[in-house]
Amino acid sequence: MAEQERVSIIVFSGDLDKCLAAFIIGTGAAASGMNVDMFFTFWGLSVLRKKGVKVKGKSLIEKMFGIMLPKGADSLALSKMNMMGIGTNMMKGVMKKKKVASLPELIDIANQLGVNLYACEMSMNVMGLKREELIDSVKEVVGVATYLEHASKAQITLFI
Amino acid sequence: MAEQERVSIIVFSGDLDKCLAAFIIGTGAAASGMNVDMFFTFWGLSVLRKKGVKVKGKSLIEKMFGIMLPKGADSLALSKMNMMGIGTNMMKGVMKKKKVASLPELIDIANQLGVNLYACEMSMNVMGLKREELIDSVKEVVGVATYLEHASKAQITLFI
Amino acid sequence: MAEQERVSIIVFSGDLDKCLAAFIIGTGAAASGMNVDMFFTFWGLSVLRKKGVKVKGKSLIEKMFGIMLPKGADSLALSKMNMMGIGTNMMKGVMKKKKVASLPELIDIANQLGVNLYACEMSMNVMGLKREELIDSVKEVVGVATYLEHASKAQITLFI
C-alpha cells in the first residue's frame, strides 16, 4: 500500500491573501486524503490568535506586540491594495458573494479535516504570546526540529 | 530509465522581481530537461493578462479589479524600490543593458521550452477574470486539486 | 545506510524577519545533520554584503544599487512594522533580551555547521556586485543550473 502523501506549509505571513492561499492549499490537500502540517511563525501567528484573551504579567514590549499584531484570522489585511481597509473589505465582500470560504471558515474546515496546526515556540517567545492566547485547535507549540522532521517526509514543502 | 524530474511553482506574487525569479527558475529547469508546472494565483494572475481585451457584462467590483491589477507582464512593478516607477524602469534598463531577458521574453522562452502555465480557477472567479483575458499560452484553468496532483510528484516545490 | 537528507533554501528577500526565518531553518537543519544549501538572490544578496568594501570602476547605476541596498546582515529592516527603524530596533532588542541569536550570529553558526552559502551570479551581475563585496564564507557564485541540481536532490525546498 502506498504511504500517505504529506504536505508541509510554513505560514510566515500574516497577510490575509497569503493566509487564504495557505489554507486553500492545506484544506484542499487534506480533502484529497493527504496529511497536512501547517507551521505558523512570526506574523503568521496572528492567524491563530484568539479574540478577547487577556494575559497578565506581560512586559511593555510584549503588550505592544499584542496591540500591534492583528487579533486573529478575522482581522488580517491584504498584502496589496489594502487602502486603509477598503480593499480588504471589498475582497471579503466579493468572496462572500461568490461563495468562497472566508479565512475563519477555512480554519474550521481545516480542523474538521484533521489538518495539524503548529505554533512556533521561538516566535511566541519573542512576541510574548502565551498558549492560552491561541485558538484551541492549535495542536502543539513546537520548535524548528519538529518542523524539519515533518517537512523532510513531505512531498510538498512551501514557505508562505 | 530515470523518470523525468519535475518542478512545481506557485506564482502568487504579481511583483516584477518575484515573477522574474519564478520564470528564471522555470525556464532554467525546462532547459535542463525538467517538466515544469507554474500555477498563477491571486496577484500572480496579472502576469498572464493579455493587453487590450474588453469583456462585457462585468460587475462594478470586477471592473475595479480589472483597473487596479497590472495589465500583463509588461506592467508589473518591483516589490521594493519601485519609487513611483523610477526604480522599476531603472531595473528594466539595467537588465536590458546587461542582456538579461525581460519578463515578456522569459514568458516566450517558457512557451518554447514547454513550461506548463496554469491559471487558478478560484482567483479568476473572485477577480472576475475570464479565460479570453489571459494570454493564449495558458494551458488550462485549474483548481487546487490539479495543483496538488502535479506538485506531489515534483522534486522541487516553491511558493513565490 | 540512509543518504544524508538535504534542505535547499532560496533567500530572495532582504527583509530581516524573513532572513532570520531562513537562517533559523538552515542552522536547525544543519544541526540535525542535514546538508543545507542556501541560495541568495535579488534582495537576499544584501545579507551577504561585507561592510566597508569599496570597488572601483562601477557605473552610476551600480553605485546607486550599492547605496540603496542594505549593507550587510546588520543593516536589514523588518518587512512589517519597521516604522523608520523603530520597530526593527525594538525587535532586535527583544531578541537579544530573550537570548535569541541575531542574524550576524546565525550566519556565524551557519558557517560553523557547514551550511553552504551560494550567491546568484545573474543578480550580482544586474546589481553590479563583485565577489570581494561579499562575506568570505560565501562558498561559490553560481547560476540557476547549480541551484536546480542541488534542489532536485533535497527533501525540503523553500523560497523565502
Side-chain angles (χ1 to χ4, degrees), chain B residues 17 29 80-81 94 98 157, chain C residues 15 43 61-62 125-126 148 157:
Chain B
D17 40 3
K80 307 233 160 198
M81 305 209 309
V94 178
K98 305 222 173 174
T157 57
Chain C
D15 296 323
W43 317 110
I61 281 194
E62 288 175 348
N125 178 22
V126 168
L148 291 164
T157 56

Side-chain angles (χ1 to χ4, degrees), chain B residues 64-84:
Chain B
M64 280 179 65
F65 271 120
I67 292 164
M68 298 187 65
L69 290 177
K71 283 159 200 65
D74 213 20
S75 313
L76 306 185
L78 290 178
S79 67
K80 307 233 160 198
M81 305 209 309
N82 181 41
M83 303 179 294
M84 296 183 297

Side-chain angles (χ1 to χ4, degrees), chain A residues 27-86:
Chain A
T27 55
S32 317
M34 295 168 128
N35 180 84
V36 182
D37 297 310
M38 295 177 76
F39 297 86
F40 294 81
T41 186
F42 280 77
W43 316 109
L45 284 173
S46 309
V47 183
L48 303 180
R49 283 181 81 186
K50 203 192 262 184
K51 266 191 185 162
V53 184
K54 284 259 178 190
V55 173
K56 282 186 185 170
K58 287 206 178 192
S59 73
L60 180 65
I61 281 194
E62 288 175 347
K63 279 181 197 159
M64 281 178 65
F65 271 120
I67 291 164
M68 298 186 66
L69 290 176
K71 283 159 198 65
D74 214 19
S75 312
L76 306 185
L78 291 178
S79 67
K80 306 233 159 199
M81 303 208 313
N82 181 42
M83 303 178 295
M84 296 182 298
I86 299 172

